[in-house]
Amino acid sequence: MSRSNRVMIVGTSVVAAAVLALTGYVAFSGDDDTAASGKDGKDKASASPSESGPGYSPPEEWTEPKKWAALPRGKKTDDHGNEVNFPHSADGAVAMLAASNETEVKGSQSMVDERMSQYDSYLSKADQTPENKEKIKAEAVQTDASVRQKMGVPGSGDMPSGAYMRSTTVGYKVIEASKNEVSVYLLSRVTMKAGELEKERGSHTRNILAAEWNGSDWKLSTAASVRAGQQAQNEKVPAIVAPGDAKFNASGWTAIRQAS
């Protein structure tokens, strides 16, 4: 992928971040890489993830991440095709959070389909209320329209051949971890392509998610994520930089090694 294609802004959130914003979770929003923007790195809490912008360009020279993780897989796949039943460990919690943070919209698969799937598979039972479900569905409809507008594709019907919007979790940084609760910053790569012959555009996003152990699996939790936001207030927010950037290591990110 060319350098110019890697740095264009995409104004959309990943699935889990939208779910969390609507159910009281906390994400951090601010300028992109503080070294590039010249700001002090003190972001304020917000209900949406932040994105890499014009001030940031991934470096031409690759710097190997100091920390890599091959996260465990869920023991089974549910009716939505999502991995569930992750190990009762900090890595298992991170693996669930990373999985819940990923999405793909293409063909007949819409953002509504993706967010309802995430809601059923990963949100705690305490947070699965009729009110939350309706809010999430309504927001997903709006996000679908926004994504299509930014991509320049028709506002209804299947996506054109070769068109997609994807979010992939590429790194994380643990905020706090205990036996039954784990909170992290997640770093994601969001890409869009309007068709077979179009260029791919992308950005990186950063948000906070937290999981609680429910006795048999890890689940996204409003209460845990609110605590995570509070815990993170006194810490330096990691820069939004791509794996391979020297600042990725300086920010304390762990790169995720994708399964083959």
Side-chain angles (χ1 to χ4, degrees):
M1 187 186 306
S2 70
R3 177 179 176 184
S4 62
N5 290 343
R6 290 198 301 260
V7 300
M8 294 185 69
I9 300 175
V10 179
T12 184
S13 63
V14 293
V15 171
V19 171
L20 304 182
L22 287 168
T23 53
Y25 291 88
V26 176
F28 277 86
S29 179
D31 297 299
D32 66 341
D33 176 28
T34 55
S37 64
K39 299 196 176 185
D40 62 7
K42 294 181 180 179
D43 292 341
K44 295 180 180 180
S46 174
S48 61
S50 51
E51 298 177 340
S52 57
Y56 175 71
S57 296
E60 297 290 346
E61 185 176 348
W62 172 269
T63 300
E64 181 70 15
K66 291 181 180 178
K67 295 184 288 185
W68 284 95
L71 297 175
R73 307 292 294 266
K75 293 180 181 178
K76 70 176 187 178
T77 301
D78 68 9
D79 293 340
H80 295 288
N82 294 324
E83 288 187 35
V84 294
N85 286 18
F86 290 89
H88 189 188
S89 64
D91 281 351
V94 174
M96 184 281 292
L97 292 170
S100 74
N101 199 51
E102 300 199 350
T103 188
E104 181 174 54
V105 175
K106 66 177 184 179
S108 62
Q109 181 78 2
S110 71
M111 189 67 73
V112 175
D113 297 325
E114 288 286 85
R115 289 185 178 167
M116 291 298 96
S117 165
Q118 298 284 356
Y119 176 94
D120 290 338
S121 298
Y122 298 119
L123 200 60
S124 71
K125 290 300 182 184
D127 293 316
Q128 288 190 1
T129 66
E131 181 181 12
N132 281 340
K133 190 168 187 176
E134 286 306 308
K135 286 181 180 179
I136 293 166
K137 186 174 181 179
E139 191 276 343
V141 171
Q142 294 179 355
T143 301
D144 256 332
S146 177
V147 167
R148 284 172 176 265
Q149 183 179 38
K150 286 179 172 64
M151 294 173 68
V153 301
S156 61
D158 291 357
M159 286 273 201
S161 176
Y164 59 79
M165 190 286 287
R166 295 181 183 131
S167 174
T168 304
T169 311
V170 296
Y172 70 92
K173 183 178 181 181
V174 174
I175 299 170
E176 289 202 12
S178 64
K179 182 179 180 181
N180 294 318
E181 186 170 313
V182 177
S183 58
V184 298
Y185 286 102
L186 289 183
L187 178 68
S188 301
R189 169 75 174 154
V190 182
T191 53
M192 286 183 179
K193 189 175 180 181
E196 296 284 4
L197 302 179
E198 302 297 324
K199 292 183 178 180
E200 184 181 76
R201 299 177 295 164
S203 68
H204 289 81
T205 66
R206 174 197 63 214
N207 58 308
I208 288 177
L209 298 181
E212 286 185 317
W213 182 253
N214 73 353
S216 61
D217 202 359
W218 292 100
K219 295 293 181 181
L220 292 165
S221 160
T222 298
S225 292
V226 169
R227 287 191 289 271
Q230 295 168 344
Q231 294 158 359
Q233 289 295 323
N234 297 322
E235 296 185 5
K236 184 177 180 180
V237 180
I240 306 174
V241 291
D245 190 323
K247 298 184 186 72
F248 183 92
N249 292 330
S251 295
W253 291 111
T254 296
I256 297 174
R257 198 175 298 280
Q258 299 297 320
S260 57

